[in-house]
Amino acid sequence: MASKEEGSSRSTNPALDPDLNNPDNPGLVFAQFAAGCFWGVELAFQRVEGVVKTEVGYSQGHVHDPNYKLVCSGTTDHAEVIRIQFDPNVCPYTNLLSLFWSRHDPTTLNRQGNDVGNQYRSGIYYYNDAQAQLARESLEAKQKEFTDKKIVTEILPAKRFYRAEEYHQQYLEKGGGRGAKQSAAKGCNDPIS
């Protein structure tokens, strides 16, 4: 039975609850990022040694069980996110943070390139205090590279993750976008388009 204290941290809106899922195997850890359209972000993380699984979806909004069309309407406040399962003995969380910063412009509010809307915002959504601390430290370090712009990346606890529709999963690896399959092989550094 849940204690009174535990019950009080849960919302009546499931979308606002923490992400309480567990990784597929013991020893794996979750990470969650928003960095614009989730297709290219996912492919970049798929290529990382130690990343065991990637899923794209929606999080940080206020609507339970959203879909792509609803998220794109701008009314749910969800971000397009990638949730990663990784082995921290092979891939430290700091490696994931480095890739996150390299994949997008963290100084543009609610947009990445031609993709505009709050679903394309920059965010790091942490699962524990250690991830929160490392995320904040990485933001401070990255900010030093931008002397004339402020980073707008939000750093918040991971909320409930809603897996996106199946056609979005591994979209570029399956040949989505321009119709050519792109490699998700570990270590691959082919351009992502």
Side-chain angles (χ1 to χ4, degrees):
M1 178 179 225
S3 73
K4 199 179 226 184
E5 198 169 276
E6 283 178 285
S8 67
S9 68
R10 306 219 56 212
S11 164
T12 58
N13 180 347
L16 302 178
D17 288 341
D19 186 357
L20 298 177
N21 290 335
N22 292 310
D24 292 345
N25 296 305
L28 298 181
V29 179
F30 277 136
Q32 193 180 116
F33 301 100
C37 176
F38 46 35
W39 298 335
V41 177
E42 181 182 37
L43 185 61
F45 281 103
Q46 283 178 281
R47 293 173 171 181
V48 174
E49 204 62 55
V51 169
V52 176
K53 182 178 181 179
T54 62
E55 298 175 280
V56 296
Y58 318 110
S59 189
Q60 302 304 119
H62 58 79
V63 173
H64 177 59
D65 204 19
N67 59 43
Y68 186 68
K69 184 176 181 181
L70 191 57
V71 169
C72 288
S73 74
T75 61
T76 71
D77 206 31
H78 282 89
E80 287 193 11
V81 299
I82 176 169
R83 186 170 71 175
I84 300 160
Q85 292 185 44
F86 69 101
D87 181 342
N89 295 314
V90 178
C91 176
Y93 186 66
T94 52
N95 289 11
L96 300 178
L97 289 167
S98 294
L99 180 57
F100 164 79
W101 293 116
S102 74
R103 286 294 309 158
H104 74 300
D105 179 353
T107 67
T108 56
L109 184 62
N110 298 331
R111 83 173 297 148
Q112 289 301 313
N114 293 329
D115 296 325
V116 180
N118 68 352
Q119 71 269 29
Y120 299 118
R121 66 188 179 266
S122 175
I124 302 170
Y125 308 116
Y126 58 85
Y127 284 84
N128 56 49
D129 291 340
Q131 285 186 357
Q133 181 63 32
L134 291 169
R136 289 185 192 100
E137 289 171 2
S138 72
L139 185 146
E140 290 170 13
K142 191 69 176 175
Q143 184 61 65
K144 291 177 183 172
E145 297 175 22
F146 293 97
T147 55
D148 58 340
K149 296 180 185 177
K150 180 162 176 37
I151 290 177
V152 295
T153 302
E154 58 186 14
I155 299 175
L156 299 168
K159 288 185 183 174
R160 188 173 195 158
F161 174 82
Y162 294 96
R163 185 177 160 91
E165 297 80 354
E166 190 56 38
Y167 70 91
H168 289 296
Q169 306 300 324
Q170 292 80 47
Y171 183 77
L172 295 178
E173 180 186 12
K174 293 186 288 193
R178 299 198 170 107
K181 292 181 179 182
Q182 297 186 50
S183 174
K186 300 298 182 194
C188 178
N189 59 7
D190 291 348
I192 297 174
S193 56

